[in-house]
Amino acid sequence: MTKLEQRFPVGAPVSVDELLAEMGDEPVGGRLRVGDPRVREFLVALARRLLAPATARRFPELASLGFFLRRGEIDKIIDSVTPGDDQLRFPRGLVFHVPPANVDTIFVYSWALSALAGNSNVVRISPRSAGAATAVLDALNATLADAHPAIAQTQRMVTFGHDDASFAALSLGCDLRVIWGGDQAVSQIRRHPLRPSARDLTFPDRASFAVISAAGWLAADAAARRDVATGLYNDSYWFDQAACASPRAVYWVGDAESVGRAQRELFALLDDVVTAKGTEVGPAMAIEKRVSTYGLAAEGVANEIRFTGNAIATLDLTAPEFVPRRWLGVGTFPQARLESLTDLVGIVERRDQTVSHFGFAREELVTFAEQLAGRGVDRMVPIGAALTFSSTWDGYDLLREYTRLTVVQTKS
């Protein structure tokens, strides 16, 4: 079994047995509880570091994380899981998180909610993680200097390779295993058994798309249209459009003439945003996009492809149901036209996660959700909010998943 590199708190490499033994001791001030003030204060202090202008400018996605960890947001999350009169809510125990490498910040959301639930946590940081992940780890360690000692005693983030012995030992030692990163990752890690009282919380492969009402677009003012273009940029270009919630297609609802006009206007505005942001797509990614899009054309799935430099590629699908759910490269937007939102019902699959939308009334979206009846789509959010994390994700209320209830009843 290899030694684990301790990333937070920073320390000498340790074995899994050493790590679990250290975490088994009762922390200073007693065991953590749901909404523990020691954790709350640490997360609020971390949020301040992440929202510092220098950090937010370098990694805009960290600003979203900082907003998520503000005191007001944390208080709302805790208030949402207040148990009933005959119930008490407690932490699950030790939670082992296996986040993906391609979304640098998801490990913080997963860990923060579990810590807020009062759990001890071990987070495996992929050796391939860099950039924003490193910035977060630096912020975590800097925040630790003024934190309560219980944080360092109960929260660990470590790096190790694809070492079966380490995965197996951590799996047997935990009360809840949280697996992100796709079907293959889930299947591989599930090969390692849990103890009978433990369980898995899994986040397998998901796909997402945007849907825009052409009538809504044409009725919107210039400022609203620019906001949609900026929102589509944020949803798509952060994490190279590889996040599960990033739109991998754009559906347009309306007549052909209105849709054509709206499409041209949106992607012209998106090009302005790309230019203003100084976004550069390198040769390797540009080649990836061309291989992907021309491949779809060869398969008969797409009948027209347009490139705006290396940054934007749009392609018209030959039929709406041919939407490709796989990653095609950052800034690639397959498109199809529908007569109504209802036409999407038969196209949606269980793996479809997020619908980012513009131009629809709430009643239309609720009707769409009712027609789907839980067979797919876990969240519908305005364009620009696709990557805004919530304590409800993939249909799970995470804080409830990270806790357990004890029922106390007496004779009346």
Side-chain angles (χ1 to χ4, degrees):
M1 187 184 301
T2 61
K3 293 274 189 174
L4 313 181
E5 179 187 357
Q6 297 196 83
R7 308 288 297 278
F8 168 76
V10 173
V14 295
S15 69
V16 172
D17 290 342
E18 291 169 334
L19 181 73
L20 294 177
E22 291 174 7
M23 298 185 72
D25 296 334
E26 182 162 332
V28 174
R31 300 282 180 189
L32 299 181
R33 58 184 184 274
V34 178
D36 197 289
R38 294 167 288 182
V39 176
R40 290 198 199 204
E41 293 307 315
F42 180 78
L43 295 179
V44 170
L46 174 63
R48 286 196 292 267
R49 289 186 182 275
L50 297 176
L51 291 169
T55 302
R57 279 195 302 269
R58 187 179 176 197
F59 300 106
E61 61 269 36
L62 296 189
S64 296
L65 175 58
F67 278 109
F68 180 79
L69 297 176
R70 289 176 303 166
R71 189 181 303 277
E73 296 301 313
I74 287 174
D75 290 346
K76 283 193 291 187
I77 292 169
I78 291 298
D79 289 345
S80 71
V81 293
T82 301
D85 292 339
D86 60 349
Q87 297 174 333
L88 299 173
R89 190 175 293 278
F90 296 102
R92 282 196 172 269
L94 177 65
V95 180
F96 174 36
H97 304 256
V98 188
N102 65 336
V103 182
D104 284 341
T105 57
I106 199 70
F107 76 92
V108 192
Y109 292 102
S110 184
W111 160 77
L113 287 169
S114 182
L116 196 58
N119 294 302
S120 297
N121 293 277
V122 176
V123 183
R124 188 247 183 188
I125 307 295
S126 169
R128 295 187 290 119
S129 294
T134 301
V136 170
L137 288 164
D138 290 343
L140 281 161
N141 281 297
T143 307
L144 196 61
D146 298 318
H148 192 283
I151 301 300
Q153 293 173 291
T154 60
Q155 313 300 319
R156 302 296 176 91
M157 299 183 186
V158 297
T159 291
F160 59 94
H162 294 287
D163 174 36
D164 281 349
S166 295
F167 276 113
L170 287 167
S171 295
L172 278 176
C174 73
D175 298 289
L176 176 67
R177 184 171 58 185
V178 185
I179 311 172
W180 304 76
D183 295 353
Q184 185 176 4
V186 171
S187 296
Q188 286 181 342
I189 294 167
R190 273 184 161 170
R191 292 185 295 111
H192 305 295
L194 299 168
R195 58 191 180 197
S197 60
R199 61 185 291 264
D200 276 327
L201 181 61
T202 61
F203 298 89
D205 285 330
R206 307 303 301 273
S208 300
F209 55 85
V211 58
I212 302 173
S213 163
W217 173 270
L218 297 176
D221 60 25
R225 294 180 188 181
R226 285 195 299 272
D227 286 345
V228 173
T230 301
L232 183 61
Y233 174 90
N234 292 340
D235 289 347
S236 304
Y237 288 81
W238 289 3
F239 311 120
D240 287 342
Q241 210 169 345
C244 58
S246 292
R248 299 202 177 155
V250 181
Y251 286 109
W252 294 85
V253 175
D255 63 82
E257 182 180 353
S258 298
V259 165
R261 176 182 165 189
Q263 286 175 325
R264 291 189 294 273
E265 291 177 353
L266 171 60
F267 286 102
L269 287 171
L270 180 61
D271 186 33
D272 291 341
V273 176
V274 167
T275 301
K277 300 280 189 182
T279 301
E280 295 183 5
V281 175
M285 183 66 76
I287 293 170
E288 176 79 31
K289 291 165 66 170
R290 280 164 172 76
V291 170
S292 297
T293 53
Y294 291 144
L296 291 175
E299 294 169 13
V301 171
N303 55 21
E304 186 171 346
I305 302 171
R306 295 168 293 275
F307 292 97
T308 304
N310 286 340
I312 302 173
T314 59
L315 51 152
D316 297 339
L317 300 175
T318 54
E321 60 269 23
F322 290 159
V323 57
R325 288 175 167 85
R326 66 183 185 275
W327 181 76
L328 301 173
V330 62
T332 305
F333 302 95
Q335 301 182 91
R337 185 182 71 85
L338 305 169
E339 292 292 341
S340 71
L341 200 55
T342 301
D343 294 340
L344 265 177
V345 174
I347 298 172
V348 168
E349 298 180 0
R350 185 66 198 93
R351 59 178 160 163
D352 293 327
Q353 183 211 62
T354 298
V355 172
S356 46
H357 58 81
F358 177 77
F360 297 95
R362 175 178 173 78
E363 292 75 15
E364 295 176 273
L365 298 171
V366 169
T367 298
F368 177 49
E370 290 174 340
Q371 291 170 330
L372 289 172
R375 295 190 303 275
V377 179
D378 298 311
R379 53 197 294 264
M380 300 184 195
V381 298
I383 290 177
L387 301 181
T388 301
F389 197 84
S390 166
S391 58
T392 300
W393 196 258
D394 274 16
Y396 295 117
D397 185 331
L398 291 180
L399 208 67
R400 294 180 190 274
E401 296 291 334
Y402 288 149
T403 57
R404 57 187 307 118
L405 293 170
T406 296
V407 176
V408 180
Q409 296 179 338
T410 58
K411 290 185 177 180
S412 56

